[in-house]
Amino acid sequence: MIRLLMLLSWATSIGGSAVECTTVTELISFCATFISNGSPDPYPGTPCCEAVTNLYMMTHSTDNRRSLCGCLMGLVTANNSNSTAIATLPGFCGVPLGFTIGPDTDCNLYRSVTMSTQSGGNVALKGE
C-alpha cells in the first residue's frame, strides 16, 4: 500500500510540467529485478506494473509524452545490456505508452494518447 501511495504521489506531482527523468528513473527502479534478470523471466510483478501504469498517467500532454520517451530512451542507452527488458515492460504490464522503446525511436514523433475505457484497451491519439 505504501508503494502504491508513493507511485501515485509521483504521478500527480508532475502537474503540467514536463516529465522529469529522475521521476522516471525512480518509477522504473520498481522494475529493477525484472530489468536485471532480463526478459521474459521473471514476470515484472505488481509493483513494477503499477510504476509503468503511473508512467502512462504522466503522458497527458504531447510534451510529457515526448519527455517520457526521451527519459526511457536514456535509460535504454545507459542500460544497453538490459534494453530488451526495459522495452518489454509496457507489453508485459498491458500499458500502452504510445511509443515503441527501441534503438530507432524518435521521441519527437509522438503525441499524447489516452487509454479507452471500452474493453480491449484501445488507444486513441489526441491532437495538439
Side-chain angles (χ1 to χ4, degrees), residues 53 56-57 59 65 93-97 113-118 120-124:
T53 298
Y56 165 77
M57 291 170 50
T59 60
R65 174 156 310 278
C93 294
V95 179
L97 293 179
V113 298
T114 55
M115 198 180 305
S116 172
T117 57
Q118 299 172 1
N122 295 329
V123 176

Side-chain angles (χ1 to χ4, degrees), residues 8 35 85 102:
L8 290 174
I35 292 169

Side-chain angles (χ1 to χ4, degrees), residues 8 16 24-25 37-38 40 52 56-57 66 73 92 98 105 108 125:
L8 290 174
V24 173
T25 301
N37 293 327
V52 174
Y56 165 77
M57 291 170 50
R66 289 177 180 164
M73 293 309 298
F92 270 120
T105 298
N108 292 316
L125 285 175

